[in-house]
């Protein structure tokens, strides 16, 4: 559902990641692109504007974290802000209290109320609850039958009393629910083509009668911007506690999902993702953001790097570097970690102890040279890895043969490693708490 937006943002991030250092101009240009992409995805213009402003405040001039590429950090800020935009945390419907707990399902005609009632009943049943369905739309022919059929098909109890006025149906429905020993009552109310006063008055009367613990507004995700206006009107005239965005399986551009929470201040609680009674997903802001940004893995990676590499390992490496004890063994460990962490093109510069030249090579050949470097180090004995100075001609020939590489490649690696150690030694000497906030290794050429 967010394909276009995702691929646009992906492009922006790619160009950010390609840079070793980010200037304010780079970031601003990227933010302009992000704004354009959001608008094209049908995000409300004010929402897009506020969003970009918040990202800018956090991204421009922020301290670069240790061990993390500046481009990655911007991506992380965009992600975090998007999670906030989508509501921050998961919002569950309020279905606690003494049973039966009334839940009103409201929305425009055709938005998916009846379908959503059946889906919610299934969801509740899976949670061990006993739902009860009440068809409260006496106007549209067959509206009542539709819910009754859905209820029967899914094995839910349903109110089958006479079709009278909606307030009366709901009142009686609540009484019947008690008799049926149900603990949650889903009231499927009538819809209109537009928000009109008559409908709102009727819904307010139902609300006054049944005193719902939760009013869920069902909104068609396909109608884009309009869904935001509809939600605004319902909020003004009735008020509601959560949004169910339906038809998110279709080619909705997703702008509604990204705007509704920000505009109304009410959380999205579920997504409808199909016509079947199981096509309902509780809404997770963080997962949705990752999906939109197409980069769940990378984000986890950045988090993992922040946690593990930064805290424990960087200290350890730092100590070794200072004492000039960084060995080929450590180097290989870093390479292996790098390979395990995912798409190499996305994690450049994230790990301490891996020279950027090597990474650029890796980027070019998609990981093959990395594998070769690893093979070379693996063909050495532990003694050779700790003390490369013992590597004479015959040992180098043996390693080349053992790793399926050439003596030149072995020489090249050893030279790179030697240079690296030399630099580290210098760094170890001059390092005394300088370079505030910068990556410990970041100010070194080739790191
Ligand atoms: N693809 C898809 N279709 C959906 C979804 N939710 C509902 N629909 C379809 O949308 C149409 C309208 O759904 P209903 O549940 O009848 O909508 P309603 O709000 O109850 O409509 P009224 O009672 O007429 O106001 C039906 O054809 C549903 O199958 C969804 O999440 N995905
Ligand atoms: Mg209906």
């Amino acid at each position: 559902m967010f394909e276009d937006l995702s691929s646009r943002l992906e492009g922006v991030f790619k160009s950010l990641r390609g840079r070793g250092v980010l200037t304010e101009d780079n970031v601003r240009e990227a933010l302009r692109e992000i704004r354009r992409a959001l608008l094209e995805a049908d995000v409300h213009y004010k929402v897009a504007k506020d969003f970009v402003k918040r990202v800018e405040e956090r991204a421009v001039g922020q301290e670069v974290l240790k061990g993390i590429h500046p481009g990655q950090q911007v991506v992380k800020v965009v992600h975090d802000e998007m999670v906030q935009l989508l509501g921050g945390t998961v919002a569950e419907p309020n279905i606690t209290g003494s049973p039966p707990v009334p839940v009103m399902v409201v929305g425009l005609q055709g938005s998916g109320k009846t379908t959503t009632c059946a889906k919610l009943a299934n969801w509740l049943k899976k949670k061990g609850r006993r739902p009860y369905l009440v068809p409260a739309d006496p106007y549209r022919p067959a509206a009542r039958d539709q819910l009754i059929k859905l209820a029967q098909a899914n094995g839910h109890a349903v109110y089958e009393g006479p079709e009278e006025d909606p307030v009366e149906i709901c009142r009686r429905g609540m009484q019947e629910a008690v008799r049926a020993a149900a603990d949650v009552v889903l009231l499927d109310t009538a819809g209109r083509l537009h928000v009109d006063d008559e409908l709102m008055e009727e819904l307010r009367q139902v609300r006054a009668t049944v005193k719902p613990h939760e009013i869920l507004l069902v909104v068609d995700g396909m109608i884009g911007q309009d869904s935001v206006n509809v939600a605004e009107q319902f909020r003004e005239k009735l008020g509601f506690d959560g949004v169910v965005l339906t038809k998110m399986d279709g080619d909705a551009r997703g702008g509604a999902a990204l705007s509704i929470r920000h505009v109304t201040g009410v959380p999205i609680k579920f997504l409808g993702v199909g016509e079947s009674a199981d096509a309902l997903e509780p809404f997770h802001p963080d997962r949705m953001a990752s999906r939109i940004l197409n980069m769940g893995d990378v984000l986890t990676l950045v988090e993992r790097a922040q946690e593990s590499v930064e805290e424990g390992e960087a200290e350890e490496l730092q100590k070794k570097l200072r004492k000039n004890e960084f060995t080929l063994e450590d180097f290989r460990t870093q390479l292996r970690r790098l390979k395990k962490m995912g798409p190499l093109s996305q994690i450049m510069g994230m790990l301490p102890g891996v020279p950027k030249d090597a990474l650029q090579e890796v980027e070019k050949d998609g990981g093959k040279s990395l594998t070769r470097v690893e093979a070379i180090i693996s063909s050495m004995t532990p003694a050779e890895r700790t003390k490369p100075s013992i590597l004479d001609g015959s040992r180098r020939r043996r390693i080349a043969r053992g790793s399926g590489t050439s003596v030149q490649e072995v020489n090249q690696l050893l030279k790179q490693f030697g240079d690296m150690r030399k630099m580290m030694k210098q760094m170890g000497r001059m390092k005394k708490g300088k370079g505030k906030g910068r990556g410990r290794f970041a100010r070194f050429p080739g790191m």
Side-chain angles (χ1 to χ4, degrees):
M1 72 191 97
F2 290 105
E3 285 80 11
D4 290 345
L5 178 59
S6 289
S7 64
R8 285 282 304 258
L9 293 177
E10 180 97 46
V12 177
F13 295 149
K14 212 170 186 174
S15 78
L16 277 181
R17 282 198 297 264
R19 299 172 205 269
V21 181
L22 288 183
T23 65
E24 294 203 0
D25 283 346
N26 295 153
V27 176
R28 292 222 159 86
E29 170 59 29
L31 290 175
R32 266 194 298 278
E33 276 298 312
I34 291 172
R35 189 162 152 265
R36 246 172 261 148
L38 289 172
L39 291 175
E40 265 169 41
D42 210 22
V43 172
H44 194 284
Y45 79 95
K46 205 172 162 306
V47 175
K49 198 172 141 215
D50 289 355
F51 179 79
V52 166
K53 192 160 152 260
R54 276 197 311 279
V55 173
E56 179 170 346
E57 276 162 11
R58 283 187 51 197
V60 172
Q62 72 175 344
E63 288 194 347
V64 174
L65 288 171
K66 297 159 197 148
I68 292 180
H69 190 272
Q72 292 285 7
Q73 218 171 314
V74 175
V75 176
K76 180 83 165 68
V77 171
V78 172
H79 173 265
D80 291 351
E81 284 299 329
M82 192 161 280
V83 174
Q84 287 312 309
L85 182 68
L86 292 167
T89 50
V90 177
E92 297 246 358
N94 176 18
I95 41 168
T96 55
S98 59
V101 174
V103 174
M104 256 174 96
V105 178
V106 302
L108 288 189
Q109 207 168 76
S111 55
K113 293 179 297 300
T114 304
T115 314
T116 298
C117 282
K119 290 175 179 179
L120 285 169
N122 277 12
W123 179 78
L124 286 164
K125 203 172 209 171
K126 274 191 208 130
K127 285 176 89 79
R129 304 298 297 259
R130 294 181 308 278
Y132 187 79
L133 292 159
V134 176
D137 176 1
Y139 311 112
R140 186 169 66 78
R144 176 172 171 268
D145 290 349
Q146 188 192 350
L147 187 71
I148 293 176
K149 272 203 195 108
L150 275 171
Q152 286 166 351
N154 291 283
H156 303 302
V158 59
Y159 177 73
E160 294 186 67
E163 285 192 82
E164 43 207 345
D165 120 89
V167 179
E168 200 46 32
I169 296 177
C170 291
R171 203 180 55 78
R172 289 220 217 180
M174 287 302 295
Q175 291 172 347
E176 285 303 315
V178 175
R179 226 161 287 154
D183 60 9
V184 184
V185 182
L186 298 165
L187 303 159
D188 180 22
T189 65
R192 296 286 154 84
L193 279 177
H194 304 283
V195 175
D196 63 39
D197 291 341
E198 207 187 339
L199 170 70
M200 290 303 167
E201 182 50 33
E202 184 180 297
L203 293 174
R204 279 195 297 261
Q205 281 178 27
V206 171
R207 182 182 60 190
T209 308
V210 304
K211 303 196 172 49
H213 291 204
E214 178 86 14
I215 301 180
L216 288 174
L217 175 70
V218 177
V219 179
D220 183 339
M222 298 271 281
I223 63 174
Q225 285 294 305
D226 274 350
S227 63
V228 180
N229 301 333
V230 169
E232 258 307 83
Q233 290 176 9
F234 268 89
R235 193 184 60 80
E236 268 171 34
K237 301 202 163 119
L238 181 72
F240 53 91
D241 310 296
V243 175
V244 181
L245 259 187
T246 62
K247 308 181 195 181
M248 295 304 282
D249 49 315
D251 52 7
R253 283 185 290 168
L258 286 162
S259 311
I260 268 186
R261 164 68 214 233
H262 189 70
V263 173
T264 64
V266 181
I268 299 171
K269 296 193 175 171
F270 295 96
L271 292 184
V273 291
E275 296 190 72
S276 86
D278 286 315
L280 186 77
E281 292 176 1
F283 184 72
H284 291 266
D286 53 344
R287 285 186 214 162
M288 180 57 81
S290 302
R291 216 148 104 189
I292 294 171
L293 299 178
N294 224 345
M295 48 195 6
D297 295 348
V298 178
L299 289 159
T300 332
L301 195 74
V302 172
E303 265 149 29
R304 235 185 288 145
Q306 271 169 330
E307 289 161 13
S308 63
V309 178
E310 219 187 322
E311 283 166 22
E313 204 168 340
E315 291 303 321
E316 187 63 21
L317 278 170
Q318 183 67 20
K319 225 185 283 164
K320 284 191 169 180
L321 293 176
R322 223 175 2 241
K323 295 193 198 150
N324 205 19
E325 283 169 2
F326 188 81
T327 64
L328 279 161
E329 190 71 59
D330 298 319
F331 188 48
R332 186 175 63 163
T333 307
Q334 294 300 320
L335 287 179
R336 282 189 174 156
R337 178 182 302 275
L338 183 69
K339 273 172 69 177
K340 257 195 283 178
M341 282 178 118
L344 288 164
S345 57
Q346 297 183 333
I347 52 176
M348 285 209 31
M350 268 187 54
L351 298 166
V354 179
K356 200 169 245 151
D357 300 354
L359 285 169
Q360 261 151 12
E361 279 299 307
V362 164
E363 168 106 317
K364 259 186 260 153
D365 70 9
K368 268 182 248 140
S369 72
L370 198 58
T371 308
R372 294 170 84 79
V373 169
E374 196 192 327
I376 292 172
I377 301 176
S378 299
S379 296
M380 296 175 187
T381 63
E384 289 167 343
R385 274 177 225 146
T386 321
K387 206 165 176 252
S389 56
I390 62 172
L391 287 166
D392 57 14
S394 83
R395 283 177 189 255
R396 290 179 191 216
R397 273 195 297 281
R398 189 206 79 233
I399 291 164
R401 234 181 297 122
S403 58
T405 60
S406 64
V407 177
Q408 283 96 307
E409 276 175 279
V410 177
N411 289 342
Q412 199 194 342
L413 170 68
L414 290 172
K415 179 165 184 322
Q416 274 175 0
F417 183 73
D419 291 348
M420 206 165 88
R421 268 182 43 139
K422 239 180 269 158
M423 285 192 297
M424 285 169 177
K425 205 167 165 186
Q426 287 165 4
M427 180 169 76
R429 271 196 228 110
M430 59 186 235
K431 176 169 160 71
K432 281 273 183 279
K434 279 186 240 157
K436 310 173 219 144
R438 287 292 311 264
R440 289 192 172 96
F441 312 96
R443 59 204 153 87
F444 246 76
M447 292 299 293

